[in-house]
């Protein structure tokens, strides 16, 4: 259960209302992490702006693929909250169930190409402490991706490094929409995902 009560969405400054409506229409829900950050609107605005630039807008990389990179990063870091959000978002943006089911066999599965393998190796190596990214990974990345695409990829990993720490520390509650998707997909059974710290009715808005 979240360690801090959610802020009241209805009490947010006017500038957030339209943005929340857009996110809710796209996702089907508002992430509870946003409602926690709403206690500090300048931080919420900064995160929303960065998230839009890094992963929500059209970019140099396919949006579904960016969410797969984010999932790989969050899974490596151990953030149960972000794992569920990222893999469900990858599905929403067109990644097939077949690929989602094979993600942890990416090194050998014929469903993934060498560029994707290099990207996932980067996500895993960049998401441990100390950082384990090698020059060899970058040699492989540059065979498949432009500098623009690599910067976008690293930005996705960095963005979720921040969010992993936020949501793990605050034990942000998962929303019903994401929990339902995870149950239908069988995320726990397939990957060992354990949302225990992110369950429970969120406390009433403060």
């Amino acid at each position: 259960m979240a360690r801090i009560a959610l802020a009241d969405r209805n009490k947010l400054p006017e500038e957030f209302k339209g943005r929340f409506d857009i996110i809710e229409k796209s996702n089907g829900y508002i992430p509870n992490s946003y409602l926690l950050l709403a206690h500090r609107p300048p931080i919420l605005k900064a995160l929303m702006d960065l998230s839009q630039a890094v992963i929500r807008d059209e970019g140099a990389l396919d949006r579904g693929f960016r969410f797969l990179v984010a999932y790989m990063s969050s899974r490596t870091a151990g953030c149960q909250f972000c794992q569920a959000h990222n893999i469900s978002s990858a599905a929403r943006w067109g990644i097939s169930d077949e690929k989602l089911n094979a993600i942890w066999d990416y090194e050998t599965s014929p469903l993934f190409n060498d560029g994707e393998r290099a990207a996932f190796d980067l996500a895993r190596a960049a998401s441990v402490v100390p950082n384990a990214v090698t020059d060899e990974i970058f040699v492989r990345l540059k065979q498949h991706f432009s500098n623009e695409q690599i910067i976008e990829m690293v930005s996705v990993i960095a963005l979720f490094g921040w969010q992993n720490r936020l949501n793990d520390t605050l034990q942000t509650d998962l929303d019903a929409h994401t929990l339902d998707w995870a149950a239908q997909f069988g995320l726990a059974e397939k990957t060992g995902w354990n949302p225990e710290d992110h369950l429970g009715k969120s406390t009433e808005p403060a």
Side-chain angles (χ1 to χ4, degrees):
M1 181 178 289
R3 288 172 163 144
I4 293 178
L6 301 180
D8 188 343
R9 175 180 174 178
N10 295 319
K11 294 180 180 178
L12 283 172
E14 190 66 31
E15 66 179 296
F16 290 105
K17 293 180 181 178
R19 298 184 74 170
F20 271 31
D21 288 344
I22 291 170
I23 292 170
E24 193 165 37
K25 183 176 180 180
S26 172
N27 292 0
Y29 63 93
I30 297 295
N32 283 333
S33 53
Y34 282 10
L35 294 173
L36 288 175
L37 286 176
H39 288 294
R40 284 288 291 129
I43 298 176
L44 173 60
K45 182 180 185 302
L47 176 64
M48 292 178 78
D49 288 345
L50 184 60
S51 295
Q52 185 169 338
V54 170
I55 204 162
R56 295 195 178 278
D57 279 352
E58 292 292 332
L61 296 165
D62 172 77
R63 193 182 280 112
F65 176 66
R66 278 179 275 165
F67 276 111
L68 269 190
V69 170
Y71 170 71
M72 185 66 71
S73 176
S74 296
R75 174 70 190 273
T76 302
C79 180
Q80 311 298 319
F81 181 92
C82 292
Q83 283 179 55
H85 276 281
N86 287 325
I87 194 170
S88 62
S89 293
R92 188 170 66 252
W93 288 105
I95 302 299
S96 68
D97 280 357
E98 190 178 21
K99 259 193 163 179
L100 296 179
N101 283 320
I103 184 67
W104 285 100
D105 295 319
Y106 74 89
E107 292 171 307
T108 57
S109 171
L111 295 173
F112 299 96
N113 59 42
D114 287 343
E116 291 170 319
R117 293 187 183 100
F120 297 150
D121 282 348
L122 173 73
R124 294 177 70 181
S127 302
V128 296
V129 178
N131 189 293
V133 176
T134 64
D135 289 342
E136 184 271 338
I137 291 175
F138 264 82
V139 168
R140 290 192 288 125
L141 280 173
K142 290 178 179 180
Q143 292 172 354
H144 303 280
F145 299 102
S146 67
N147 288 342
E148 180 185 14
Q149 290 172 319
I150 292 171
I151 288 296
E152 188 167 81
M153 200 181 302
V154 174
S155 296
V156 168
I157 296 165
L159 171 66
F160 282 95
W162 191 90
Q163 295 209 59
N164 293 162
R165 286 160 178 77
L166 175 86
N167 291 303
D168 269 349
T169 300
L170 296 177
Q171 291 189 350
T172 310
D173 285 348
L174 282 157
D175 56 276
H177 183 282
T178 302
L179 286 170
D180 287 347
W181 184 92
Q184 291 172 18
F185 180 73
L187 187 61
E189 295 80 4
K190 292 173 180 176
T191 70
W193 176 70
N194 181 2
E196 182 178 354
D197 289 341
H198 302 277
L199 296 177
K201 186 176 182 297
S202 293
T203 49
E204 293 300 316

